[in-house]
């Protein structure tokens, strides 16, 4: 994940594709606000995983 920068994420952001694929959360019609929401959380999640790796902690990811 750390190899994908915020700029890369923004460049690949395609809200219409997310709407078509019914990707959660259903905020894609909000445009720039949706992008800001995603990038803010993406940065947080990357940092969280990096800190876990630094201390040899494991991460459990649950997707339902």
């Amino acid at each position: 994940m750390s190899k994908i920068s915020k700029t890369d994420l923004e460049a690949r952001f395609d809200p219409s594709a997310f709407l078509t694929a019914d990707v959660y959360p259903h905020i894609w019609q909000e445009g720039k606000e949706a992008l800001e929401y995603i990038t803010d959380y993406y940065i947080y999640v990357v940092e969280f995983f990096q800190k876990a790796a630094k201390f040899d902690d494991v991460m459990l990811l649950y997707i339902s």
Side-chain angles (χ1 to χ4, degrees):
M1 290 173 55
S2 63
K3 293 182 181 184
I4 300 172
S5 70
K6 180 180 176 183
T7 303
D8 294 334
L9 190 62
E10 291 170 340
R12 299 170 82 181
F13 181 71
D14 186 352
S16 61
F18 298 153
L19 279 170
T20 301
D22 197 30
V23 174
Y24 177 86
H26 301 109
I27 60 170
W28 311 117
Q29 69 282 1
E30 297 178 24
K32 186 172 179 155
E33 290 81 16
L35 176 60
E36 289 173 2
Y37 176 85
I38 293 301
T39 55
D40 288 347
Y41 276 102
Y42 178 74
I43 291 167
Y44 171 77
V45 168
V46 169
E47 290 173 355
F48 188 77
F49 273 74
Q50 287 173 333
K51 286 178 185 175
K54 178 179 177 181
F55 295 104
D56 292 325
D57 289 337
V58 298
M59 298 300 307
L60 177 63
L61 179 62
Y62 175 75
I63 301 174
S64 67

